[in-house]
Amino acid sequence: TIQLHADQGTGVASLNLLSDVGGITLSSGLGSADAINISATDAAGGIDVDFGTSNMVVTGTGVSADFLLDADLFSIDGTGTSNVTVTADTFNEDFTIALAGAFNSSLVLSSAGTQADALQITASAGGIDISASGAAAGEDIDIAATGSSVRVTSSESAVDSIVLDSSAGGIDILASGAAAGEDIDIIATGSSVNITSTENVAQAIYLRANGGTSETIQLHADQGTGVASLNLL
C-alpha cells in the first residue's frame, strides 16, 4: 500500500493535494462497489465539494449503475440556473427520489421563484402518479393555493377525460366566495350535464337555496320549443 498520513494536523488543509495549472485525477481499477472511498469518519465531520463556473458531473456507465445519496442530512444547492438531469438509455428507465428513513421523514420540493412556472413536474411522454397510503387523520393529499387559483385541465377527447372518484367515501365541492361571480359553475359546452343518484332514500337528489328572503330557484330551458322543453317526470 501507499499511505499519506498527517498524524497531528487539525486544519482543513492538513493533507493538501495542489496542482497549480493542471488537474488531479483519482483512478481505481478495482472492480468493487467501494473502488474509490471518500470518508469523513468523525461523527460531526462533513464533506465539502466546491467548484467554479464549469459543471460537476457524476456519471455511472454500468447497465444498472446507480447514484445513491445515503445520509442523515444532505443538500444539493445551486445559486444560479441549476438542474438534475436523468438521461435514460432505455424507454422505461425511472428516476426515483425515495425516503426510507424515520417515521416522520419528509420530502420537500420548494422554489422561491416568482414566475408562473416556479415549480414544474412534467412528463413529456408518459403519465404522472401521485399516491398516498396514509390511514391516519390528516395523512391526505393536499393541493392548496394561497392567493392564487387551482386549475385541473385535460385536452384528451374521452368520456372520462377528468375523473373525481371516491371509491369508499363522499365528495365535497365547497366555495366560500362572497364577491359577485365567486360561485360554483358547472358548464358543459357542446355536451350534457347528468346528475344521477342510485341511493334508495328520500331526497336522493336534493337542491336547496338557503341564503335569504330574496332567494329563488330557477330551471330554465333557453331555446327548446317542444312540448317537453322543460320536463318534470
Side-chain angles (χ1 to χ4, degrees):
T1 63
I2 296 176
Q3 179 172 306
L4 301 178
H5 184 186
D7 199 11
Q8 299 186 49
T10 61
V12 294
S14 174
L15 185 61
N16 193 9
L17 299 180
L18 178 63
S19 175
D20 283 343
V21 294
I24 296 176
T25 298
L26 299 178
S27 178
S28 171
L30 182 64
S32 70
D34 57 352
I36 294 178
N37 289 279
I38 300 176
S39 176
T41 57
D42 190 281
I47 297 176
D48 186 13
V49 180
D50 300 316
F51 55 95
T53 57
S54 296
N55 297 327
M56 175 180 176
V57 180
V58 179
T59 303
T61 58
V63 174
S64 60
D66 295 323
F67 173 46
L68 304 177
L69 290 173
D70 185 5
D72 291 334
L73 179 65
F74 67 88
S75 61
I76 300 176
D77 302 317
T79 58
T81 301
S82 306
N83 68 287
V84 176
T85 302
V86 175
T87 302
D89 57 9
T90 58
F91 178 76
N92 62 346
E93 286 197 21
D94 301 323
F95 174 47
T96 302
I97 300 176
L99 291 177
F103 176 79
N104 63 344
S105 294
S106 299
L107 174 63
V108 178
L109 301 178
S110 178
S111 171
T114 57
Q115 61 271 29
D117 57 352
L119 183 63
Q120 297 183 64
I121 301 176
T122 303
S124 61
I128 296 176
D129 292 335
I130 301 175
S131 60
S133 301
E139 294 180 345
D140 310 316
I141 295 177
D142 298 323
I143 301 176
T146 303
S148 55
S149 302
V150 175
R151 300 176 62 91
V152 179
T153 303
S154 172
S155 61
E156 184 186 24
S157 178
V159 295
D160 58 351
S161 180
I162 294 178
V163 176
L164 300 178
D165 185 2
S166 177
S167 61
I171 296 176
D172 293 334
I173 301 176
L174 308 174
S176 301
E182 293 181 345
D183 309 318
I184 296 177
D185 298 325
I186 301 176
I187 300 173
T189 302
S191 55
S192 301
V193 175
N194 300 307
I195 300 175
T196 303
S197 171
T198 62
E199 188 179 21
N200 186 19
V201 297
Q203 297 181 342
I205 295 178
Y206 179 38
L207 300 177
R208 180 188 181 192
N210 187 26
T213 57
S214 299
E215 68 189 21
T216 64
I217 296 177
Q218 178 173 307
L219 301 178
H220 184 185
D222 200 12
Q223 299 185 49
T225 59
V227 295
S229 175
L230 184 60
N231 193 7
L232 301 178
L233 177 63

